[in-house]
């Protein structure tokens, strides 16, 4: 058994998210371009007799530490797959807002699969981890690699997205938790899947924004009906100098703005933090 290990669980952003038909299993067909940021949660894994999870960080108070916790479920699912005991002392520094459309819980679960694969010296390949991830939630498989990807199906069909520029971005969450299931229930109109070019010309952030303007997030309207403050977040992002595109991620309520450069993103983050001290605001970039 390895001595101890650490994993970063980066925020996941859906640059666009199109929703298709509801499938027989109750989930909707999706089509999305998913990228990762350089902000996220941090997990550490230590050998122990039993399975435990300690929470720290600014959003730890918002997490329920019950048996249903996605990190603990990931640990148990991996142990069951490997036919071993799920024993480890896990610490999760919760830096990302909870239930916020940037995949915090999914990224944590994926990080737990990677971290425990190392701690328990299982040496399982990534596709085995992705298969276990798919049993934990629609967004968990893409978080196993944490790299830009085209996501289809319920979230399990992944194709690497090459050439996505390391664009400057600002993430804004108005500190309203929006449960994914409720947003899907409120969905009325949707674009459908299969109509997007998966090899668009992406030279730089401007061409990325031009491409994204042909797309949208079908969950934005239903999320707005549940949490109208999302409209205020988008309005504020749109008014920031250097903003090229603003949109909600996932099922919300976190929104992102793509900016001309890091300087413009940092200025916008400072301005928004001052004007809305109750909001979570982060300047970041697209990574990998
Ligand atoms: O898979 P996950 O736990 O993230 O899904 C939460 C809820 O979101 C599901 O119970 C379902 O109502 C909805 N959902 C969906 N189609 C998807 C993903 C999620 O309808 N592709």
């Amino acid at each position: 058994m390895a001595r101890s290990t650490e994993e970063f669980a980066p925020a996941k952003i859906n640059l666009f998210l199109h929703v298709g038909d509801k499938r027989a299993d109750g989930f909707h067909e999706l089509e999305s371009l998913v990228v990762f940021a350089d902000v996220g949660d941090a997990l550490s894994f230590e050998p122990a007799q039993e399975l435990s999870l300690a929470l720290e960080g600014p959003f730890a108070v918002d997490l329920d530490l019950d048996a249903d916790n996605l990190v603990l479920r990931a640990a148990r699912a991996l142990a069951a797959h490997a036919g071993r005991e799920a024993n480890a002392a896990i610490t999760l520094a919760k830096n990302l807002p909870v239930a916020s459309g940037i995949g915090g819980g999914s990224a944590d679960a994926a990080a737990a699969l990677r971290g425990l694969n190392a701690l328990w010296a299982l040496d399982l390949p990534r596709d085995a981890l992705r298969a276990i991830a798919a049993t934990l939630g629609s967004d968990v498989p893409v978080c196993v690699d944490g790299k830009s990807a085209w996501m289809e199906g319920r979230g399990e069909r992944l194709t690497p997205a090459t050439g996505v520029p390391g664009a400057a971005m600002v993430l804004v969450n108005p500190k309203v938790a929006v449960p994914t299931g409720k947003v899907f229930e409120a969905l009325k109109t949707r674009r459908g899947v299969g109509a997007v070019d998966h090899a668009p010309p992406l030279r730089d952030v401007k061409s990325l924004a031009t491409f994204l303007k042909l797309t949208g997030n079908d969950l934005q309207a239903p999320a707005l009906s549940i949490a109208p403050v999302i409209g205020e977040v988008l309005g504020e992002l749109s008014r920031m100098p250097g903003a090229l595109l603003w949109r909600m991620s996932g099922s919300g309520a976190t929104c992102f703005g793509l900016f001309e450069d890091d300087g413009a993103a940092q200025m916008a983050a400072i301005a928004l933090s001052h004007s809305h001290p109750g909001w979570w605001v982060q300047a970041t970039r697209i990574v990998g």
Side-chain angles (χ1 to χ4, degrees), residues 67-134:
D68 243 16
N69 178 283
L70 210 48
V71 169
L72 295 175
R73 281 177 52 205
R76 287 195 299 266
L78 181 66
H81 177 93
R84 58 158 291 140
E85 208 185 324
N87 53 354
I90 308 173
T91 303
L92 165 61
K94 193 73 205 159
N95 303 318
L96 299 175
V98 172
S100 72
I102 49 174
S106 303
D108 295 343
L113 294 177
R114 293 193 305 269
L116 294 171
N117 190 37
L119 185 79
W120 295 338
L122 301 176
D123 231 7
L124 291 176
R126 283 290 164 92
D127 57 351
L129 296 186
R130 278 193 294 270
I132 300 167

Side-chain angles (χ1 to χ4, degrees), residues 29-212:
E29 288 287 336
L30 302 178
E31 183 172 24
S32 183
L33 177 56
V34 178
V35 297
F36 292 85
D38 64 2
V39 295
D41 296 337
L43 291 88
S44 67
F45 309 84
E46 308 268 346
Q49 298 292 329
E50 292 182 356
L51 181 62
S52 68
L53 176 61
L55 300 175
E56 53 189 49
F59 291 101
V61 289
D62 296 335
L63 264 191
D64 288 331
L65 227 184
D66 52 24
D68 243 16
N69 178 283
L70 210 48
V71 169
L72 295 175
R73 281 177 52 205
R76 287 195 299 266
L78 181 66
H81 177 93
R84 58 158 291 140
E85 208 185 324
N87 53 354
I90 308 173
T91 303
L92 165 61
K94 193 73 205 159
N95 303 318
L96 299 175
V98 172
S100 72
I102 49 174
S106 303
D108 295 343
L113 294 177
R114 293 193 305 269
L116 294 171
N117 190 37
L119 185 79
W120 295 338
L122 301 176
D123 231 7
L124 291 176
R126 283 290 164 92
D127 57 351
L129 296 186
R130 278 193 294 270
I132 300 167
T135 68
L136 299 168
S138 309
D139 275 343
V140 188
V142 73
C143 293
V144 167
D145 286 308
K147 296 213 168 86
S148 303
W150 300 96
M151 188 171 101
E152 293 168 279
R154 171 199 161 184
E156 74 286 6
R157 275 202 341 263
L158 301 170
T159 317
T162 49
V164 179
M169 194 161 49
V170 175
L171 302 177
V172 182
N173 181 278
K175 299 255 190 88
V176 179
V178 186
T180 304
K182 286 227 159 27
V183 176
F184 273 100
E185 275 168 33
L187 180 70
K188 291 203 177 76
T189 55
R190 48 195 175 72
R191 285 174 175 77
V193 297
V196 175
D197 173 13
H198 284 198
L202 298 178
R203 283 178 308 280
D204 51 24
V205 63
K206 286 209 167 115
S207 48
L208 176 62
T210 301
F211 160 67
L212 290 175

